[in-house]
Amino acid sequence: MEFYRKHVLVCGGGGCISSGCIKVKDRLLNKIEEMNLSSEIKVIITGCMGPCHLGPMVVIYPDGVLYTKVTPEGADKIIQKHLFLGEIVEELLIKDSNGTPIICKDENPFFAKQVKIALRNVGLIDPTNIEEYIAADGYRALAKVLFTMKPEDVIEEIKKSGLRGRGGAGFLTGLKWSFTAKAKGSPKYVLCNADEGDPGAFMDRSILEGDPHSVIEAMAIAGYAVGSNQGYVYVRAEYPLAVERLKHAIEQARERGLLGKDILSSGFDFDIDIKVGAGAFVCGEETALIASAEGKRGEPRPKPPFPANEGFLGKPTLINNVETYANICPIILRGADWFSGYGTENSKGTKVFALAGKIKNTGLVEVPMGTALGEIIYDIGGGIPGGKKFKAAQTGGPSGGCIPQKYLNTPVDYESLKELGTIMGSGGLIVVDEDTCMVDFAKYFLQFVQDESCGKCAPCRLGTKRMLEIMDRITRGEGKEGDIERLIELGEIIKETALCGLGQTAPNPVLSTIKYFRDEYEAHIKYKKCPASVCASLFNSPCQNACPAGVEVPLYINAIRMKDYEKAVSIIRENNPFPAVCGRVCNHPCESKCRRAQIDEPLAIRALKRFAADYDVKNPHLPVVKKAKGKKIAVIGSGPAGLTAAYYLALEGYSVTVFEALPIAGGMLAIGIPEYRLPKDVLKSEIEHIKSAGVEIHLNMALGKDFTIENLKYQGFDAIFIAIGAQKDIRLDIPGNELYGVYSALEFLKKVNLNEYIDIGKKVAIIGGGNAAVDAARVALRKGAKEVNVFYRRGPDEMPALPEEVKDAIEEGVKLHFYTAPIRIIGEGGRVNGIEVIRMKPADFDENGRRRTVPIDGSSFSIKVDNVIFALGQQVDLGAIKVPKGMSITIDKETMETSIPGVFAGGDCVSGPSTVIEAIASGRKAAISIDKYLGGNMYEKKSYYPRTADYEIYEEHRNRCATFKLKAQERINSFKEVELTLEESAAYEEACRCLRCDVKQNEEGGVEYAKSYN
């Protein structure tokens, strides 16, 4: 036997092969030979190691060092530094969230929580070498069975283990074996279902490619247990590598007397052959598989008789899938009690999943049954890339259903998934994020099932076709009232009447998405809107669709490109009267949907908006107002929602009066956002433009104190819009929060913005992680604080503040402390002089998919501070609204009208705290509803612009424009605006990056017109 100083394992899974692992292996071999290291180092191609996103992968043993994304050049470095000099090649190591290199494979979070039973050898041994399998206890289980156990003992051990079939239905494996053993008839057959047809599933393929002998050995054990001498592996032709390695393994086993006649001189005969299928999805169903294996058309048949009594060639047949067989040998060797020690009461052992979709760590994972879905997705899968939000996980492939974010704590086992309306299936686990349309997602699986339907039974053949027609209509914007009910009715009929399990589960994706995401179906049908910006027939462009106000982003960017800045602002103001404000403080959801990101980076849409708006500030234009209608409207609150409603109503010719409780107009824009982000003169300019449309603003007029709803009606107002915002702070109920020096963020920012006195010391603690927390921290520095610490109970990825604001705060010297929470404020003489904080750790998930945190015992610490500022959000102070008896702030969702005719409400006082652009959208919607209530026609189509792009569209990589900011030291000494306006040349270059996703041809081949809807 040859001994080597190092073993170099190169992942040979499908993902790594496609990313170039063969070139890496060849370079390793050539370089090792060049350096005369062939006698010391052995290079081995293994099966799939698991994390496909890191391929090509190389593991060095006995060190256990994992190198990722290895190129041929990287292979040279591994040999020269690691194998020759004994130094770690740090640049090829994966890094944790803090940027710290992870050296050993077992320390990688992807592997740390896994328990590998079915995959025990995959990625560790050479699958083409039977000696390596034997060295890993291969064929010991077969020998144990043949010489120490009776067939009934084997079946009893499998029963005792609680192993359930891993192919989908989860039927008890031992029970199925016992049925076949008891069945009358001869010969009997053992079949392996390797027809893995689920989209996104590759568990069985990886086992056959990486550890084929484990399946061969298990099939031989099954043959011994049920009285069969012949086995067949039914594998699809799309798995050529699996077929090749399986054939090779069968030949090796025959050569060594482990298959064929008189195995191990025991007197037991068993052989295996391969049946290659054409890849029909329906052949995953056992009776269809049997028909195909017999050379017939792959169609299911009614049961009974079950295959255990009448299967292949009409004889008793045992069928299990690849993963089920892969669990057999460890159960025989280590015992049923050991195996059943993993999992839950009714779902024993482990389960292999193929993680795919919108997840950082894609690949194969094996975890104990009952592991929480959130653990699989976040602890092993690494969470959702790009800072996106988890939306749902699809289990069971086309036969399964989706699990929304509120069920992230669900233990993944057969019973729990069934309760949620889905199934385990073979193990495909597809993760989707906020950019996935659940209607389109369900349609994809329904299309797959319709295409793959064998057509034997009418419910599946015709029923799924009718369902698909409805789904197709909905995604084209042609959905009708009642379509959801029709889908549910059809789905339930198909489930009850289809012939086979695949047909019966075909409606599951549609039914589960309706169950959990009905609002998306309703948005498609009722409002002709795809919230995820996927169904292209329902919007002009993804960015416009993502904007809550529906601003025609591509059109104003086109105007900027043409250097027609007046037109650009005019287009923005059709939907948003605050272009300069939103050009500075908008959370820019439009950029998150920009398709330019698929090439390089999203367009700097907010910066372009600001550029055009700043031109307008310097070159203002008066709005065009329609003839006076002779009707009066009162707006309560001058925040973005109230002023937006007032502006659009004034343009229509209404006499609009705004009542504001504060001494300044603008609401939260004026008192809640620091001047270095939103200069007062910019806000004033926007408000002056609104006033120039005829809007009157009365300051220091508070609802319930200075006037009532009844007063306004008495004064002759024909309609009233309540938009008072959310200006009541939330404080943490901990000891010491009554001390002098404790503020809320809103109180603090309000005093600063109104130039009122605020007592700020040298050391300030901020509690929270949103924009208000970051604003308060940065303002504290500008007010003279020398040390500002922000304590946030969650991690950096979950911090809701805008990333660019967080980055600026860090540059200015703000210190962020994650996974920390205050437990008491320390005082002396009635004044703050410290704060006690405790460290937190992640726990389970809340209904919004965010991780809860729990305190770590004994981890508290104290720091000296002069002030504590709570920034935990705001809520609506409904107690301040003195309205007639019987009125509530709840509104009709469609009209925004309250329980009193003619009184409407919107913005934060209805929705709770929202973003500026969401408040603007709410105000505009209210204006349209009020106008309609008063007999107007704002709800009809307004404007048409030709959608043309008579210039080159740049699809090659182009860098996003850089936005320039004041230097950190300069900005913390004043309230000067931090971010600067783009130069004209930069704005032009950035506008040229737009792909003009909105330009489409109509049926006649001409250009469509932009339709601006109210």
Side-chain angles (χ1 to χ4, degrees), residues 758-983:
I758 188 85
D759 188 358
I760 289 293
K762 298 300 181 184
K763 295 184 177 182
V764 178
I766 312 288
I767 312 302
N771 286 321
V774 176
D775 285 344
R778 297 174 70 187
V779 169
L781 286 173
R782 285 160 172 78
K783 296 299 287 184
K786 300 303 180 184
E787 181 182 309
V788 178
N789 293 279
V790 176
F791 297 97
Y792 181 54
R793 63 193 175 102
R794 291 190 168 100
D797 292 341
E798 295 174 283
M799 198 170 182
L802 292 172
E804 56 265 34
E805 298 298 323
V806 175
K807 182 183 176 191
D808 288 348
I810 294 171
E811 288 176 358
E812 291 171 9
V814 174
K815 297 176 182 177
L816 304 181
H817 304 270
F818 298 107
Y819 293 112
T820 54
I823 53 178
R824 71 183 177 105
I825 300 171
I826 304 167
E828 185 177 338
R831 181 178 184 125
V832 174
N833 73 349
I835 186 170
E836 186 177 356
V837 177
I838 193 165
R839 300 193 187 280
M840 312 290 282
K841 64 181 179 180
D844 60 356
F845 298 84
D846 63 22
E847 286 206 345
N848 295 316
R850 300 178 75 193
R851 209 138 202 183
R852 294 186 180 91
T853 53
V854 294
I856 300 173
D857 291 341
S859 66
S860 64
F861 61 96
S862 299
I863 64 169
K864 291 284 186 182
V865 296
D866 301 304
N867 300 94
V868 175
I869 299 176
F870 287 104
L872 304 175
Q874 295 86 40
Q875 58 189 355
V876 183
D877 186 5
L878 295 179
I881 305 179
K882 304 208 182 289
V883 295
K885 186 178 180 181
M887 177 185 170
S888 68
I889 206 69
T890 56
I891 61 170
D892 182 290
K893 187 178 178 182
E894 304 299 320
T895 66
M896 303 181 72
E897 193 170 14
T898 66
S899 54
I900 290 183
V903 179
F904 299 77
D908 291 359
C909 69
V910 171
S911 65
S914 58
T915 63
V916 172
I917 192 63
E918 287 170 340
I920 289 168
S922 177
R924 189 163 183 272
K925 182 179 177 182
I928 295 165
S929 291
I930 292 168
D931 172 69
K932 188 174 182 180
Y933 171 78
L934 296 175
N937 63 351
M938 278 178 70
Y939 61 91
E940 296 176 350
K941 297 173 186 176
K942 290 280 287 186
S943 305
Y944 292 84
Y945 296 96
R947 292 191 183 276
T948 58
D950 301 325
Y951 43 74
E952 184 179 357
I953 301 294
Y954 299 105
E955 296 186 2
E956 72 276 7
H957 186 282
R958 289 170 75 95
N959 290 331
R960 174 179 164 126
C961 71
T963 51
F964 293 98
K965 300 181 179 182
L966 298 179
K967 292 181 180 180
Q969 195 55 46
E970 180 182 356
R971 59 198 194 214
I972 62 172
N973 294 319
S974 73
F975 280 85
K976 286 182 182 178
E977 188 170 14
V978 169
E979 188 174 306
L980 308 178
T981 306
L982 293 176
E983 295 289 339

Side-chain angles (χ1 to χ4, degrees), residues 174-212:
L175 199 58
K176 181 183 275 193
W177 285 26
S178 69
F179 291 157
T180 310
K182 293 173 184 176
K184 295 179 181 179
S186 182
K188 295 180 179 180
Y189 295 99
V190 172
L191 267 61
C192 174
N193 181 353
D195 189 69
E196 189 175 43
D198 292 4
F202 49 95
M203 302 76 58
D204 291 353
R205 185 192 79 194
S206 295
I207 293 172
L208 288 179
E209 290 175 356
D211 192 16

